[in-house]
């Protein structure tokens, strides 16, 4: 399921891509979006994973697979800063994936008489963090109440503007055509699922859902500043800004390209070329 070793940048990219694909598959499966035929089965220790595959009999699942593949392209180029998917025009559930890229700086082994370099995170540590992230996501999905029957699912990508060409769009995506605020329907709970860090990448996962949909809340997942706190700018912010966010029911994902917050802020946004999701299982 994961690369045997995660010592190179390419191996790290493979891991992050698989984590993203498995996580999105988990979300769609546990939220009952597609039929069983749209999924393959893999096992992670004793955890049964359902992973989306190209099911030509289900156009909705086929579209999601293409969107994920488009995100892979942006990940490989180190352009994408955030990936999120949500349900309905007024958001009822939001899944956020944040990506950072590291410049690997070897560390000197001071215990040696020679100028040797040692690696940072071990492959086993990374794989253990990956297992924990997926388990927490699956457990969270099991605790969420059902979605409305008439839901629509979509995805958007955010970028690091200082390295991303202005005309770049990954396969299956186009420039975002709906700038402005997205309303969250209900009383939002911001949940930190976890993160996985390699010597080359960092991936963080958060979930925002309606408080009423939480059957039982795991206090270790709820944002420590309060259950209704959502960053004003969603994925378009740094961790320090997230800690300073205020209590709001309006989720501003900062899609407008005309607003200026800082020289290195992530402004470019892509949306899928098509937004279908018909036929829940």
């Amino acid at each position: 399921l994961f690369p045997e070793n995660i010592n190179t940048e390419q191996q790290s990219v493979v891991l992050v891509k698989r984590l993203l694909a498995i996580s999105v598959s988990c979300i769609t499966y546990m939220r009952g979006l597609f039929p069983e035929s749209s999924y393959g089965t893999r096992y992670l220790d004793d955890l049964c994973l359902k992973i989306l595959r190209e099911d030509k009999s289900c156009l909705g699942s086929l579209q999601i697979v293409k969107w994920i593949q488009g995100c892979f392209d942006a990940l490989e180029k180190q352009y994408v800063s955030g990936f999120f998917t949500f349900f309905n025009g007024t958001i009822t559930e939001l899944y956020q994936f944040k990506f950072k890229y590291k410049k690997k700086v070897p560390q000197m082994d001071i215990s040696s008489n020679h100028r040797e370099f040692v690696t940072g995170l071990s492959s086993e540590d990374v794989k253990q963090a990956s297992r924990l992230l997926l388990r927490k996501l699956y457990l969270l999905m099991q605790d969420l109440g059902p979605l409305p029957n008439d839901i629509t699912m979509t995805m958007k990508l955010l970028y690091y503007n200082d390295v991303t060409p202005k005309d770049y769009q990954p396969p299956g995506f186009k420039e975002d055509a709906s700038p402005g605020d997205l309303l969250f329907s209900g009383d939002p709970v911001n949940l930190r699922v976890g993160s996985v860090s390699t010597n080359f990448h960092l991936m963080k996962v958060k979930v925002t859902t309606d408080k009423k949909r939480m059957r039982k809340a795991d206090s270790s997942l709820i944002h420590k500043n309060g259950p209704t706190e959502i960053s004003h700018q969603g994925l378009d912010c740094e961790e320090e800004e997230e800690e300073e966010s205020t209590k709001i029911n309006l989720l501003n994902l900062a899609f407008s390209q005309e607003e200026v917050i800082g020289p290195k802020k992530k402004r470019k946004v892509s949306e899928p070329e098509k937004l279908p999701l018909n036929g829940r299982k």
Side-chain angles (χ1 to χ4, degrees):
L1 195 61
F2 301 132
E4 184 66 25
N5 297 302
I6 311 168
N7 300 322
T8 68
E9 186 172 358
Q10 183 56 39
Q11 291 168 340
S12 179
V13 169
V14 171
L15 174 75
V16 173
K17 286 162 64 175
R18 290 183 183 176
L19 278 175
L20 176 62
I22 294 170
S23 298
V24 175
S25 297
C26 165
I27 293 165
T28 62
Y29 184 80
M30 299 297 287
R31 303 312 274 140
L33 300 186
F34 305 121
E36 192 76 24
S37 61
S38 297
Y39 299 88
T41 301
R42 297 289 296 275
Y43 286 89
L44 179 62
D45 299 328
D46 60 338
L47 184 63
C48 179
L49 302 175
K50 295 293 185 177
I51 303 177
L52 277 168
R53 58 188 178 187
E54 294 184 280
D55 179 12
K56 295 182 179 180
S57 66
C58 181
L59 295 180
S61 64
L62 192 63
Q63 189 69 64
I64 300 295
V65 171
K66 292 185 181 298
W67 292 349
I68 295 173
Q69 292 170 344
C71 187
F72 286 173
D73 184 82
L75 272 170
E76 291 171 353
K77 292 179 170 65
Q78 298 192 356
Y79 292 163
V80 66
S81 65
F83 166 97
F84 58 95
T85 181
F86 57 89
F87 301 114
N88 283 5
T90 54
I91 302 174
T92 60
E93 222 160 79
L94 174 70
Y95 299 85
Q96 306 178 35
F97 297 82
K98 185 174 183 179
F99 306 103
K100 290 187 178 181
Y101 310 96
K102 306 176 185 178
K103 293 182 178 179
K104 186 179 180 184
V105 180
Q107 300 173 333
M108 184 179 295
D109 184 359
I110 60 176
S111 65
S112 171
N113 293 327
H114 304 286
R115 294 180 62 85
E116 296 179 353
F117 294 94
V118 297
T119 57
L121 297 162
S122 71
S123 297
E124 275 309 312
D125 288 341
V126 173
K127 286 190 278 189
Q128 182 59 31
S130 301
R131 294 186 190 98
L132 180 60
L133 175 68
L134 293 175
R135 285 184 178 277
K136 290 176 72 174
L137 185 59
Y138 263 76
L139 288 173
L140 174 60
M141 295 293 98
Q142 292 173 2
D143 288 340
L144 294 180
L147 289 167
N149 290 325
D150 57 342
I151 61 102
T152 299
M153 182 179 184
T154 190
M155 299 179 181
K156 290 182 185 280
L157 302 182
L158 283 78
Y159 302 90
Y160 289 105
N161 272 10
D162 54 345
V163 296
T164 307
K166 290 183 179 180
D167 60 349
Y168 171 77
Q169 294 296 339
F173 286 81
K174 62 181 180 179
E175 184 177 355
D176 178 57
S178 55
D181 298 340
L182 296 180
L183 292 172
F184 193 101
S185 178
D187 186 7
V189 179
N190 200 16
L191 306 168
R192 290 180 173 176
V193 179
S195 64
V196 174
S197 181
T198 74
N199 291 319
F200 303 92
H201 298 86
L202 172 65
M203 175 176 137
K204 295 183 178 182
V205 182
K206 294 183 180 181
V207 177
T208 304
T209 188
D210 190 339
K211 187 175 182 180
K212 295 178 181 178
R213 198 169 289 140
M214 293 289 296
R215 289 170 175 161
K216 56 180 180 179
D218 185 338
S219 59
S220 67
L221 296 180
I222 296 178
H223 194 292
K224 64 183 179 181
N225 286 345
T228 61
E229 292 179 358
I230 298 181
S231 169
H232 284 77
Q233 299 164 24
L235 287 171
D236 195 34
C237 64
E238 300 301 325
E239 289 300 312
E240 294 79 13
E241 294 168 339
E242 292 176 7
E243 298 298 332
E244 299 171 359
S245 59
T246 57
K247 293 183 179 181
I248 52 172
N249 285 334
L250 179 66
L251 180 61
N252 182 353
L253 290 171
F255 290 158
S256 174
Q257 307 239 357
E258 282 127 31
E259 295 175 5
V260 177
I261 296 179
K264 293 187 178 180
K265 290 297 175 181
K266 304 173 281 291
R267 313 306 308 153
K268 182 179 174 63
V269 183
S270 294
E271 66 177 3
E273 292 179 341
K274 296 180 180 180
L275 307 177
L277 182 57
N278 298 317
R280 299 179 63 188
K281 67 180 182 180

